[in-house]
Amino acid sequence: MALCLTAVCLICSAVLGGVYGLTKAPIDAAAQKALTESISAVLPEGGELSQSNASELEGVDEYYVLSENGSPKAYAVKSSTNGFGGTLTIMVGVLADGTVYNTSVLAHSETPGLGAKCAEADSDFRTQFQNFNGHLAVKKDGGDIDAITASTITSRAFTKAVEQAVKLVKSIPTTNSEEETSNE
């Protein structure tokens, strides 16, 4: 009986390992494609995109810099926070002046029909972040963001992820501000 159980476990493990080996490359390629599409969706046209930069700010995984004529034009920031159903990961496009250009949802586990509305690109909730330069908090908390109806937790989480991205961009020194400092 122990030999049969061991054999079944070994066979199942081998099959599972084989399936993993076969599907790893396509899954990684699909994830990279989704990331690239997300970056394109949140940044303005033109310029040169940098490689991924690591972030030390909590909740911000990485960011990319879009430069034009040697100076930063915009940033694509991958930001995560906890929503109602689990981790909410978004890509946020932030202009060099701190204005939110656009947002894109990479992954979420929010409730279908409620919090999952944060992933709909043309929803009223998501469109209010386009070219946004106000107070990043839901109106219930004294901010300028209208929450998704019956989904305040998701709305707060999404807004927090956007706020984290803007905070990161504002903390990055720009070459223009360094030049101004050295001229003074």
Side-chain angles (χ1 to χ4, degrees), residues 58-150:
E58 185 179 342
V60 177
D61 302 326
E62 60 186 344
Y63 68 96
Y64 302 81
V65 182
L66 180 68
S67 298
E68 193 168 70
N69 299 324
S71 62
K73 177 179 179 180
Y75 300 83
V77 182
K78 185 177 176 185
S79 181
S80 300
T81 189
N82 288 324
F84 180 75
T87 303
L88 174 67
T89 304
I90 66 174
M91 185 67 71
V92 183
V94 183
L95 300 178
D97 67 356
T99 300
V100 176
Y101 184 75
N102 204 358
T103 60
S104 176
V105 176
L106 293 170
H108 73 88
S109 302
E110 301 306 301
T111 307
L114 294 172
K117 290 181 181 180
C118 73
E120 298 171 5
D122 58 347
S123 70
D124 290 337
F125 178 72
R126 284 266 305 280
T127 57
Q128 69 184 322
F129 287 96
Q130 294 173 348
N131 298 309
F132 183 83
N133 197 11
H135 181 61
L136 278 165
V138 293
K139 288 190 176 176
K140 194 179 252 189
D141 298 334
D144 295 328
I145 301 297
D146 287 321
I148 299 169
T149 304

